[in-house]
Amino acid sequence: MRGLHYEWRHVAALRSTWVLLSVIATLNLAAGLATPFGLKPGSAPSSWSMATTLQMDAVALQLPLSALLLLPLATGSIATELTRGSARTTWLTLACRRTAYMSKLLVGGAIGALTALGGAILAALSAGVCLAATGHLQPAWTHTLPSLLGYVLFMTCWPLIALSTTVLVRNRTAAVLLLVLWPLLGERITGLALRLVPGLAPVADWLPFSAGRAAMAASADTLSEADRAMTQTLIGSDLSSAAGAAAFLAFTVLCAILGTQAYTKRDVY
């Protein structure tokens, strides 16, 4: 508990934390308010369109916009130690490197989960009110829940991956570039290469961020055949949402283990 309290105070004391969270909240609110635009009078938005709104266009952008905005915060606690040499203060305060790192992981995961849930609730409330005020029907909210759960899982895991990547490469800029470029380009190129090799095509479905997108795409089952094919291309994986969630969670655990080993055994930060 002492480690969690210490890490939370460290994160909460940064003005950038509240600026980033405010920006994400504002964007969620705006996304909800924009829901009625383009709808026919008296119609309701589809479950998939609402799922993408709640997830901040995770599939279209290849990563949730909220995840990209959280990167400075997700990498911040490690980056501060790297640039300011403050790790020794943390270790002296908590008397254990493993405790310090686990506290960073738990606080980061909690912030990611709460950001996803809070933002989704804000978007849903603003969308519901705006739809009612403009005479539109409400969407099938229950059909968006599986995709919302996948989104919360992704956002819970995202700070853990970001922290561990920063520890492993020991450079914040390199970590951010890797976390942005790999899901956008690296996995696409790797997936295409794997599909060209006989017998390795199924491996492409299990690439971590493709699996993460599959976990968030449960509501895509409500799409027409043509729209589902296009969405599947954007996802880059044929896994079910449950299999995608399991694969992405396993990748996160692996990253956390490797990050813990690097943090506890390296001499100087």
Side-chain angles (χ1 to χ4, degrees):
M1 290 300 295
R2 183 183 179 187
L4 294 176
H5 179 69
Y6 175 86
E7 190 59 34
W8 168 246
R9 289 195 62 181
H10 171 72
V11 173
L14 297 174
R15 183 182 302 174
S16 58
T17 298
W18 304 107
V19 171
L20 288 170
L21 294 180
S22 297
V23 170
I24 293 172
T26 302
L27 290 174
N28 275 283
L29 179 62
L33 293 175
T35 300
F37 295 161
L39 288 178
K40 295 180 180 178
S43 63
S46 68
S47 299
W48 176 245
S49 67
M50 287 311 306
T52 58
T53 296
L54 299 180
Q55 297 172 353
M56 300 189 76
D57 287 326
V59 172
L61 295 176
Q62 301 294 284
L63 283 173
L65 179 58
S66 50
L68 293 172
L69 292 172
L70 270 184
L71 263 178
L73 178 57
T75 59
S77 61
I78 292 294
T80 300
E81 293 185 349
L82 290 171
T83 57
R84 300 181 183 177
S86 60
R88 297 185 187 279
T89 301
T90 301
W91 299 339
L92 288 172
T93 302
L94 300 181
C96 179
R97 295 191 189 187
R98 190 175 298 273
T99 298
Y101 193 68
M102 291 303 296
S103 298
K104 294 178 187 297
L105 292 177
L106 291 173
V107 170
I111 290 174
L114 292 173
T115 299
L117 273 176
I121 291 171
L122 185 59
L125 289 175
S126 60
V129 171
C130 202
L131 287 169
T134 55
H136 292 88
L137 299 177
Q138 297 293 320
W141 290 108
T142 55
H143 292 172
T144 67
L145 290 178
S147 291
L148 178 58
L149 291 175
Y151 172 54
V152 172
L153 173 67
F154 186 98
M155 288 296 291
T156 303
C157 294
W158 176 251
L160 280 63
I161 295 170
L163 272 170
S164 300
T165 302
T166 307
V167 172
L168 291 169
V169 302
R170 304 191 75 180
N171 183 286
R172 188 180 197 176
T173 302
V176 169
L177 287 174
L178 181 60
L179 290 168
V180 172
L181 294 179
W182 175 256
L184 295 180
L185 295 175
E187 279 201 353
R188 288 294 180 186
I189 296 171
T190 303
L192 289 172
L194 288 172
R195 288 184 169 89
L196 293 175
V197 180
L200 292 183
V203 177
D205 292 332
W206 296 89
L207 294 174
F209 290 99
S210 297
R213 288 189 292 272
M216 293 185 280
S219 299
D221 294 338
T222 62
L223 291 171
S224 65
E225 195 66 32
D227 290 339
R228 193 183 310 163
M230 176 62 70
T231 302
Q232 204 68 38
T233 301
L234 289 173
I235 293 169
S237 172
D238 293 328
L239 295 179
S240 67
S241 56
F248 191 69
L249 185 59
F251 173 71
T252 303
V253 171
L254 176 62
C255 287
I257 291 173
L258 294 176
T260 302
Q261 292 297 316
Y263 188 84
T264 55
K265 291 187 176 181
R266 285 179 177 169
D267 293 333
V268 179
Y269 280 89

